[in-house]
Amino acid sequence: MTAPVPVAMSATLAADEEFARRRLAGERVLFLATGEIGLPVLPELGEQLARAAHRNAYGPVAGTAQLREAAAGYWGRRGLVTDAADVVCGPGSKPLLFALLMAVGGDVVVPVPSWVSYAAHARLAGLRPIPVPIRPGQGGVPDPAGLRAQVLEARAHGRNPRAVIVTLPDNPTGTIAGPETVRELAQVARELDLVVISDEIYGDLVFTAGHRAVSPAWFAPERTVVTTGLTKNLAVGGWRLGVARLPAGAAGSALRARLVSIASQIWSSAAAPVQAAAAYALAEPPEVLDRVAASRRLHERVARKVAEVFVAAGAELAPVQATCYLYPDFEPLRHGLSRVHGVNGADDLARLLSTRYGVALLPGTAFGEGGRSLRIRAATSRLYGESDAERSAALAARDPLALPWIKAAVDRATEVLTDLTAPIRSAR
Amino acid sequence: MTAPVPVAMSATLAADEEFARRRLAGERVLFLATGEIGLPVLPELGEQLARAAHRNAYGPVAGTAQLREAAAGYWGRRGLVTDAADVVCGPGSKPLLFALLMAVGGDVVVPVPSWVSYAAHARLAGLRPIPVPIRPGQGGVPDPAGLRAQVLEARAHGRNPRAVIVTLPDNPTGTIAGPETVRELAQVARELDLVVISDEIYGDLVFTAGHRAVSPAWFAPERTVVTTGLTKNLAVGGWRLGVARLPAGAAGSALRARLVSIASQIWSSAAAPVQAAAAYALAEPPEVLDRVAASRRLHERVARKVAEVFVAAGAELAPVQATCYLYPDFEPLRHGLSRVHGVNGADDLARLLSTRYGVALLPGTAFGEGGRSLRIRAATSRLYGESDAERSAALAARDPLALPWIKAAVDRATEVLTDLTAPIRSAR
């Protein structure tokens, strides 16, 4: 007897839509709930899309040769030599990740915490997500020892885990798992014959060159699929374009063929004009590199500043190394939060911040944390301005924190967190 | 124990890619395999896309308000009064159809023959497609009596059929089920509490106004979902844009909420610049209506001419009323095809036409027919020219059949079918 699949609306997209409604209603909201990048389209990139408006054919399911070659070059410049034949394009890395899980076809280990959609993808595909906590500060990579233990236990119970997802750099923690953790992960994946799906969409948003994420494709090239897109580095999430790099070799080819078959049935191809613009972007001409660098600097300034605000309020926070996310833990304030505010978990905390203060962010439960955890995720990428003019000014500013609208947001965050935690801290 | 889902590459997209390879290799191929519309983008529509290149936000999962209002107007002008709140947009009607099956969450009755992806969608979603043959000439709608019998039998065996898909007008037969058949279908769906998913993507390509397809939404509005897009009427399949019209009322709202949740997890939204262009198109300004009318006339002339060629060769063919498809049945020539060519089914026939004559079309097996059937599908929408200049000339021509490249294609089809069938017919 078949039954509807269990599914909930994407927590981030639901938050986006709620924010739009509240703003329309005239409410003042400090929106830290989702990582949509609030920056304008690079003009040269927009021109490429406009010039490709006449492209109306589906083209190959895996994407045009031009796009796949550009993607291969993009990875090659990052030390992952890639054959264009091993690249598959899709309308966002999100559908690619979903289809990859279907193509692999077994249960999948997901880090805790991790992005809202991995576990949902597994359930939609009729698979079981197996949660494995990260090591502290090693966001996006399940603790390799925990991975081994959970996979062996699942197999002992007759389940068939076949993949592990990692996020490098990480959403929601804004950290980057170190090379040693990644190497161990890759080793365990090889030992247990798991496919590694490495979501590297934040790869270009690492603040310090020395911290660059090391892909598991370095350590287990025969079994690692890497995905990325233009959503984060170039702020064109609404264009819907992702690319996947499949492993070379026989197993990789077989997986690629399955992925392309599934893609052919679910979405046919990514929008042809967008593919043309993406080929331009992934070739990384100077103006694209400049834009990515400018947005990276902006993310760093604002994310680190807001991180300071949370730390000053008494939350614990692993140093933010990339992305536009912070993942503060209010555990040190647990007793006071409970006593003063009746807050006993992240859901309570997020609700209080939203209703009392108009501050929107997501509770750790959205990322797979247990209900008692006091971790929340704050995204700072929507603070850059309301208009394209403000956003362009934020990109160009030597000191974006001095811009009135960004300063106002940071001040408001400070005010709210002070109001929330001062009574707790003074009573300690 | 989980296992990879069964899936094969979309037969039409696979044929497209094979055709591209054969052409690159310099081979002369008469390509009748897929219904991609070989016509240029309407310039004003391309301009709308170009003007929307700055749109980089996801926007609502269901699509922008502007697009949903335009779609509501589109359906309203066709007698289906629609609230914009009941519209859901996606990157093609294909992903919408897949997600709808997931959202309904039960086994699904599909017509035989029917479009290559319905049954594949069901299997990908972990559901069982239940094939029910059409009545002769009533393409796209499972025989209502067969529908009732099959659903009752499936339920008696503990299965849970919950939906039926119809295609109006029909791919692959190019026919339109009559209002009486549609009414009966809707009645049985109501009696058995099935959701009707009505794929109406060819709705604007009906040759004679008097033949307009009647939607099951007329007869069972509370349970009918209608889908369409810009792929067929405006030839922008490669832009990937579809819309679904969910039923008004509580059940419809619940289904819509599930559809939007699934969409939020699988694809987030359709490309924002494409949504803006689609809003323009679905508002149907005069130049859009003119273009659709011109392409409809072109499809009619060419499809009917090629249909004549198949009939002259001895195949049986229901009169083509819409789309750019013919579905000739070589049953009258079965004995000779077997004796002279060793052809005993549509797969054999399609293979012979491809290898001996360079004529690409799809066997009925791709549409769910049994292996012994001698039905094949020919699509004529790729005969309009190789260049945009030729294709524009085809659109503008008073007599497109007189254009040298279209005449050559028709002559080649005649020559091939004569060569194939003359020895058979002369020996009878």
Side-chain angles (χ1 to χ4, degrees), chain A residues 34-62:
Chain A
T34 80
E36 181 164 351
I37 309 291
L39 289 173
V41 178
L42 174 68
E44 292 87 341
L45 181 59
E47 278 162 33
Q48 292 289 329
L49 182 73
R51 248 180 258 163
H54 66 283
R55 300 202 183 205
N56 60 340
Y58 296 109
V61 173

Side-chain angles (χ1 to χ4, degrees), chain B residues 146-240:
Chain B
L147 169 65
R148 182 189 287 109
Q150 288 293 310
V151 167
L152 292 178
E153 191 185 315
R155 288 184 177 162
H157 285 81
R159 305 287 308 179
N160 181 26
R162 298 196 55 196
V164 53
I165 299 186
V166 302
T167 320
L168 289 158
D170 184 39
N171 168 15
T173 67
T175 65
I176 304 171
E180 185 51 29
T181 302
V182 175
R183 196 187 57 75
E184 283 179 52
L185 180 284
Q187 217 163 27
V188 173
R190 183 174 285 160
E191 176 192 324
L192 301 174
D193 195 19
L194 301 173
V195 173
V196 181
I197 299 173
S198 186
D199 178 351
E200 302 184 6
I201 196 153
Y202 298 97
D204 293 341
L205 300 186
V206 178
F207 301 153
T208 311
H211 284 160
R212 268 255 321 268
V214 175
S215 174
W218 272 98
F219 303 110
E222 80 288 356
R223 63 187 59 253
T224 300
V225 182
V226 179
T227 64
T228 190
L230 306 182
T231 296
K232 301 302 177 181
N233 54 0
L234 285 163
V236 288
W239 284 13
R240 313 309 302 126

Side-chain angles (χ1 to χ4, degrees), chain A residues 3-393:
Chain A
V5 289
V7 66
M9 175 87 169
S10 157
T12 51
L13 294 171
D16 270 338
E17 298 196 7
E18 195 204 336
F19 173 59
R21 278 191 297 272
R22 288 171 76 168
R23 273 192 58 193
L24 265 180
E27 202 178 327
R28 179 190 172 200
V29 180
L30 181 64
F31 190 72
L32 303 169
T34 80
E36 181 164 351
I37 309 291
L39 289 173
V41 178
L42 174 68
E44 292 87 341
L45 181 59
E47 278 162 33
Q48 292 289 329
L49 182 73
R51 248 180 258 163
H54 66 283
R55 300 202 183 205
N56 60 340
Y58 296 109
V61 173
T64 64
Q66 194 198 8
L67 169 59
R68 288 182 289 110
E69 272 151 30
Y74 172 94
W75 276 304
R77 288 186 294 281
R78 284 152 182 81
L80 295 177
V81 174
T82 303
D83 186 330
D86 295 328
V87 175
V88 177
C89 161
S93 59
K94 190 183 241 185
L96 283 170
L97 289 163
F98 171 66
L100 274 165
L101 291 191
M102 281 194 149
V104 173
D107 291 340
V108 55
V109 173
V110 299
V112 178
S114 60
W115 180 51
V116 299
S117 284
Y118 302 140
H121 283 165
R123 284 188 288 263
L124 279 174
L127 310 169
R128 199 178 61 144
I130 302 173
V132 169
I134 61 168
R135 291 176 182 163
Q138 303 288 300
V141 176
D143 174 12
L147 170 65
R148 183 188 287 109
Q150 288 294 311
V151 167
L152 292 177
E153 192 185 315
R155 287 184 177 162
H157 285 81
R159 306 287 309 178
N160 182 27
R162 298 198 54 196
V164 53
I165 300 187
V166 303
T167 320
L168 288 158
D170 184 38
N171 167 18
T173 69
T175 65
I176 304 171
E180 187 50 30
T181 303
V182 175
R183 196 188 56 76
E184 283 179 52
L185 180 285
Q187 218 161 28
V188 173
R190 183 175 285 162
E191 176 191 324
L192 301 174
D193 195 19
L194 301 172
V195 173
V196 182
I197 299 173
S198 186
D199 178 353
E200 303 184 6
I201 196 152
Y202 298 96
D204 293 340
L205 300 185
V206 178
F207 301 153
T208 311
H211 284 161
R212 267 252 324 264
V214 176
S215 174
W218 271 98
F219 303 109
E222 80 289 356
R223 62 186 60 253
T224 300
V225 182
V226 179
T227 64
T228 190
L230 307 181
T231 297
K232 301 302 176 180
N233 55 0
L234 285 163
V236 289
W239 285 13
R240 312 309 303 122
L241 195 288
V243 279
R245 175 188 183 272
L246 279 287
S253 290
L255 183 59
R256 181 187 182 281
R258 289 183 53 76
L259 175 63
V260 170
S261 292
I262 291 167
S264 80
Q265 300 290 5
I266 299 185
W267 67 72
S268 303
S269 55
V274 174
Q275 288 192 48
Y280 155 85
L282 290 168
E284 299 182 292
E287 64 277 13
V288 164
L289 290 173
D290 288 349
R291 164 56 74 93
V292 174
S295 63
R296 180 168 51 226
R297 284 191 300 269
L298 177 60
H299 295 320
E300 176 178 11
R301 291 300 301 278
V302 178
R304 287 201 163 146
K305 182 67 192 173
V306 176
E308 284 172 20
V309 173
F310 278 94
V311 169
E316 280 178 354
L317 194 60
V320 178
Q321 299 168 308
T323 78
C324 47
Y325 302 119
L326 340 166
Y327 200 62
D329 188 346
F330 282 79
E331 190 62 39
L333 305 176
R334 174 176 296 282
H335 182 68
L337 282 172
S338 176
R339 190 175 42 80
V340 176
H341 298 296
V343 161
N344 294 302
D347 288 352
D348 292 347
L349 183 54
R351 202 178 303 115
L352 180 72
L353 286 166
S354 174
T355 54
R356 185 182 299 169
Y357 300 105
V359 176
L361 29 68
L362 290 183
T365 47
F367 305 94
E369 302 272 12
R372 239 185 85 79
S373 146
L374 283 167
R375 298 185 184 117
I376 56 175
R377 191 197 70 172
T380 56
S381 58
R382 296 284 282 274
L383 304 182
Y384 305 143
E386 295 295 312
S387 64
D388 274 359
E390 284 184 357
R391 293 163 164 187
S392 296

